[in-house]
Amino acid sequence: MNDSLFFRRMSKRSYQDKPIEPDVLNKLYEIIRWSPSCANKQPWRFIFISDPEQHAKAVSALAKGNEWAAQAPVIVVVCAREEDDYSREDNDIKYYQFDCGLATMSLLLGATELGLMAHPMAGWSAPDMQKALSIPDEYDVICVASLGYAGSIDLLDERTRTKDESERTRKEITEIINIDRFVK
Ligand SMILES: Cc1cc2nc3c(=O)[nH]c(=O)nc-3n(C[C@H](O)[C@H](O)[C@H](O)COP(=O)(O)O)c2cc1C
């Protein structure tokens, strides 16, 4: 089980200086395309950025701690607009954002399946990203991810290497899974 896609996926920070082949990217687009969404609204827009000028603009909107992502050959920006939400009167869930989360997981697992590494990030400025990429105001930037072939940890600066060397941890199953009823 531990060699399955779910356990091989991880968010590391070093990338090889190697572009992603167009046929590999096409497979990833198809994987993302078949993500589930509420009422099949498919509200997501994924911008795959490898053009050097656009890439530099996207990188400029990343937070300081995410400078390592500049080495990734592709930056993926996930956006969606509320107009494409499937809203229900009996709950307040923002399904257009929730659906982007599901499709982003397709990106992460699809990348793993194709031998790539995708690393999701919250460390970026929404207004800066919006402006840098001329994303229309009605679209929210929901997630940004780096994408490429994983590289050697030796390529990283010391601070970033320490992050990549730190142990990956999780809560215990008993803390996150309840059987039959909510356990306080
Ligand atoms: C929405 C989201 C935002 C994240 N933001 C950052 C980030 O800005 N910088 C970073 O280095 N890692 C970021 N991560 C990666 C998480 O730190 C990582 O997923 C978590 O530590 C679990 O590690 P794993 O992905 O290797 O299982 C983010 C992950 C998610 C899902």
Side-chain angles (χ1 to χ4, degrees), residues 43-45 79-85 96 100 137-140 142:
W44 44 73
R45 184 79 66 94
C79 30
R81 55 182 181 178
E82 192 153 19
E83 189 185 315
D84 293 325
D85 193 37
Y96 75 108
C100 283
D137 284 348
E138 64 267 29
Y139 280 81
D140 302 339
I142 312 265

Side-chain angles (χ1 to χ4, degrees), residues 46-79 119 121-135 141 143-147:
F46 282 74
I47 314 174
F48 277 69
I49 303 167
S50 56
D51 170 76
E53 207 176 308
Q54 287 290 95
H55 189 280
K57 285 183 185 172
V59 164
S60 74
L62 297 179
K64 257 204 161 312
N66 284 332
E67 278 161 344
W68 51 268
Q71 302 310 317
V74 177
I75 299 290
V76 185
V77 177
V78 187
C79 30
H119 186 140
M121 288 173 276
W124 39 270
S125 149
D128 290 357
M129 192 65 80
Q130 204 104 17
K131 195 163 167 227
L133 301 176
S134 303
I135 296 171
V141 180
C143 190
V144 178
S146 54
L147 178 69

Side-chain angles (χ1 to χ4, degrees), residues 9-13 65-66 68 119-123 143 163 168 170:
R9 182 215 59 79
M10 54 182 80
S11 308
K12 297 293 185 184
R13 296 172 179 82
N66 284 332
W68 51 268
H119 186 140
M121 288 173 276
C143 190
K163 285 187 195 169
R168 293 173 69 235
R170 288 298 190 266

